[in-house]
Amino acid sequence: MVAASLLEQQALAQPAQLAPIERDLAHINQLLNAHQFEQQALSLQAGRVRGRHEEWRFRSVYQPIYALEANGGTRLWSVEALARVTDSFGGQLIPTVLFAAETSPRRSVFLDRQLRCLHLLNFLLQHPPADLVLSLNVNAQHLVNVSETHGQFFAEVLQYLQIPASQICLEVVEDAVSDPMRLYEAVQRYRSLGFKIALDDFGQGASNLERVWLLEPDYVKLDKVLMRHALMRPGVRDKLARLVDILHLHGAKVVGEGIESAMQLDIARAAGCDFVQGFHLARPAEQLNLPV
């Protein structure tokens, strides 16, 4: 962790006439410059922070995650930040493809950190309430390419911006790393710094409860395929409820993803899910969609 005195010295070194967001951008760009890829990786454009790396351009969108309340209503609990990537010709690219095509470990670490800073700054620009959780994806290559310093860079950014790590939930795809102990060490390091941990896409691929027992996440996000099966095959709904019960027994709260209809929302509630996310509730947007 960078010492507080060093952070203070760096803040004082910024020109006094800069607006707070400009000072924040200058400071975070200085931290990102250590990777020696982009001198101005983040910039302010039309009231939003934008990112760039070589021919790629990045912006943030957010999809709400709602808590299911006992009275049958919902309450905004978190927003998941997602990257929208375009090339210099305006072509769209899925972020996972961008990372999959990246062969340089240093570059993939830079991209992961750049995107998290981008999402955090755009989140703060909208003055969110202090209890709104920001959920950020951690790329699997980042888990592989960073050793004992997991979370240190981002913890320094949060310290500078005076944001508690407990307001950040890091979403990890649990079957994306073949070495369970390496994943365990990364998660433990993040948790020791105060971050909340979610296992994403549970129920897809090689997902298994053994990883839940090992990692003890704060949240488990059920993959949308489970909700789709529960909708199409009523016999699956009891199994879904039992799975949610098991996850609760291991101390995890459960997020039902892929809620695309009122019936799926009812299924998630009946299964005992704590939170829900999906197009039926809200689509990703640049605005946080905060309640009035």
Side-chain angles (χ1 to χ4, degrees), residues 60 68 101 121 162 173 211 224 229:
S60 304
L68 293 174
L121 288 170
Q162 299 182 336
V173 179
R211 295 281 178 96
K224 60 185 178 182
H229 286 322

Side-chain angles (χ1 to χ4, degrees), residues 188-261:
Q188 289 300 102
R189 173 64 178 165
Y190 284 130
R191 182 175 284 120
S192 72
L193 293 169
F195 296 104
K196 300 298 184 183
I197 301 297
L199 288 190
D200 198 10
D201 296 342
F202 188 86
Q204 178 183 5
S207 297
N208 60 72
L209 287 170
E210 185 178 353
R211 295 281 178 96
V212 177
W213 302 334
L214 174 67
L215 300 175
E216 298 181 319
D218 301 288
Y219 309 97
V220 173
K221 301 188 73 174
L222 302 180
D223 189 75
K224 60 185 178 182
V225 69
L226 294 178
M227 299 309 302
R228 190 175 300 132
H229 286 322
L231 177 65
M232 303 301 295
R233 301 164 56 194
V236 173
R237 296 171 196 174
D238 288 340
K239 297 182 178 67
L240 181 65
R242 288 198 292 271
L243 173 60
V244 172
D245 285 342
I246 291 171
L247 294 171
H248 283 159
L249 284 173
H250 289 282
K253 293 186 179 295
V254 179
V255 183
E257 291 190 286
I259 305 300
E260 298 178 356
S261 67

